[in-house]
Amino acid sequence: MYDTNEDIIEKAVVFCPIEKDTDKVFQFAEIKRLCNSANMEVLKIFSQDIKALNRRTIIGSGKVQEIKQFIKESDANVLVVDFKLTGSQLRNLSDELGVKVLDRILLIIDIFACNAKSNEGKIEVKLAQNRYLLTRLSSMQGTQGRFGGSGAGMRGPGETKLELDRRKLESEIIMLEKEIEKIKRVRAQNKIARKQAGIKNVVIGGYTNAGKSSLFNLLTRDNIYVQDKLFATLETTSRRMFLKDDKFCILTDTVGFISKLPHELVESFASTLEEIKDADLILHVVDVADENYEKNIKVTNEILNDIGATQNRIVVLNKIDLMNKPFEVKENEIPFSVKKKTNLEKLKDAIYKKLF
Ligand SMILES: Nc1nc2c(ncn2[C@@H]2O[C@H](COP(=O)(O)OP(=O)(O)OP(=O)(O)O)[C@@H](O)[C@H]2O)c(=O)[nH]1
Ligand SMILES: [Mg+2]
């Protein structure tokens, strides 16, 4: 049975390979939030230096035994590995431990699958899922009992069910790619029309859960989906935003960023990300109350650079209502609170000055 019940809580054991200069606290906090966003409770996090990794299972054999013991003594039913695994690594681990195994990519794609609401978002996620499954299919098929089931990792967008059938996956990929092409063409036409009419485009971007959709709602008085979960927004929404002197611009809300965004997703979401590249101005929203906010700014800047978005930015240091200690404010940064509407006029003025 395909399962759309968002409230099912699975119990996860997490394994984090630690790279040389990794900030462990950041990595643990992030993977935990990702698991929670996929409705999984994290029972314990195991970690190991990346140098000790074993090619067959990624996790060193001693550590596998430790995890096995933990699974036996607890009611954990999923292992989440914060790394990209090959099909055979997924299978070897799953066979060894007797539980479903998700890697970082499948986990993020799964969260996207749960959150896809628009037709476009569903097509993009489905394409990413199919590409992921196709490359790992032969290994996953043998573990049907665990992967063919329900819960995290196997949820399709909307009412669809994930298929572990090569022919179906391949033909669906071709169909989905065509659909995305169509969407891209419509986007391009709209863009030309807006350019010709001299309409300015402002895009809201930033780390996931920073408050982008909340800011969008405040600035456009709209009411789109806001949630304290990672990747609540997957599709772009655009609305008019009015500024002073009867001027307006088009404001667009976008999908959140995260470190090591799987390339399957970046490819599938290329049309969404293009929207950022072509904007006249980027509002980079930051959750300053997040203890890792400086790292999050860095991750966002890296992704923006990767997609070639080099234009004007205003950095919105959001959620200052949660701050009880002073923090540094640089040029082009505005301390802000969507909740308390702090500095709303100042932000609108700054947008106006950058555009007109
Ligand atoms: N305290 C406080 N909470 C805020 C503020 N702005 C947003 N939030 C909360 O932060 C959470 C995330 O908000 P969203 O607007 O969904 O964040 P987002 O950046 O769009 O997230 P994704 O779409 O998942 O990437 C929600 O629970 C909001 O209510 C703020 O100024 N202060
Ligand atoms: Mg959002």
Side-chain angles (χ1 to χ4, degrees), residues 224-267:
I224 57 171
Y225 190 62
V226 169
Q227 230 199 357
D228 194 12
K229 272 197 171 182
L230 303 186
F231 305 117
T233 308
L234 288 188
E235 35 270 328
T236 56
T237 314
S238 299
R239 297 268 183 280
R240 274 180 195 216
M241 168 184 167
F242 290 93
L243 298 160
K244 61 184 177 189
D245 303 337
D246 286 336
K247 299 255 197 252
F248 70 89
C249 61
I250 301 288
L251 189 67
T252 300
D253 183 26
T254 62
V255 56
F257 294 164
I258 193 156
S259 62
K260 297 181 224 144
L261 200 64
H263 82 93
E264 284 90 342
L265 282 173
V266 175
E267 272 171 33

Side-chain angles (χ1 to χ4, degrees), residues 16-178:
C16 290
I18 306 292
E19 283 177 67
K20 205 168 129 249
D21 298 315
T22 310
D23 177 347
K24 248 169 121 170
V25 177
F26 176 79
Q27 191 183 351
F28 288 6
E30 189 191 75
I31 192 72
K32 207 165 159 215
R33 293 215 61 194
L34 284 171
C35 289
N36 295 153
S37 297
N39 287 310
M40 284 189 275
E41 183 192 341
V42 175
L43 300 184
K44 192 174 164 108
I45 300 181
F46 290 86
S47 66
Q48 191 168 43
D49 199 76
I50 205 147
K51 282 206 292 288
L53 297 187
N54 160 330
R55 281 204 24 219
R56 209 180 77 81
T57 50
I58 285 294
I59 308 175
S61 53
K63 195 60 80 177
V64 171
Q65 291 315 312
E66 255 181 71
I67 295 175
K68 198 170 178 175
Q69 189 61 29
F70 180 83
I71 290 175
K72 219 191 233 167
E73 288 163 5
S74 65
D75 49 355
N77 50 10
V78 189
L79 170 72
V80 174
V81 179
D82 191 12
F83 203 70
K84 178 177 180 170
L85 300 181
T86 63
S88 60
Q89 288 164 342
L90 278 173
R91 185 198 184 117
N92 291 339
L93 274 174
S94 183
D95 284 349
E96 180 74 32
L97 298 170
V99 292
K100 180 167 72 178
V101 179
L102 304 186
D103 69 354
R104 181 181 175 89
I105 301 181
L106 192 54
L107 174 62
I108 295 179
I109 295 179
D110 188 72
I111 300 170
F112 273 56
C114 294
N115 292 340
K117 297 209 171 47
S118 73
N119 187 37
E120 179 182 355
K122 286 179 190 164
I123 292 171
E124 290 171 324
V125 172
K126 191 85 191 156
L127 185 58
Q129 280 179 323
N130 283 6
R131 284 177 173 156
Y132 178 95
L133 288 177
L134 196 60
T135 55
R136 292 163 179 82
L137 193 63
S138 49
S139 306
M140 289 170 90
Q141 267 168 339
T143 50
Q144 274 268 8
R146 290 189 282 274
F147 280 100
S150 57
M154 296 316 290
R155 294 173 284 218
E159 293 303 309
T160 57
K161 181 177 176 291
L162 285 193
E163 296 273 0
L164 291 178
D165 177 307
R166 180 171 302 276
R167 208 178 42 78
K168 279 196 188 137
L169 286 175
E170 284 171 343
S171 63
E172 220 174 43
I173 286 176
I174 295 173
M175 191 195 76
L176 293 166
E177 283 173 344
K178 280 191 189 144

Side-chain angles (χ1 to χ4, degrees), residues 207-214 225-233 256 318-319 321-322 337-339:
Y207 207 76
T208 182
N209 210 49
K212 299 180 296 299
S213 300
S214 307
Y225 190 62
V226 169
Q227 230 199 357
D228 194 12
K229 272 197 171 182
L230 303 186
F231 305 117
T233 308
N318 190 31
K319 307 198 190 180
D321 54 289
L322 298 175
S337 165
V338 173
K339 200 169 174 185

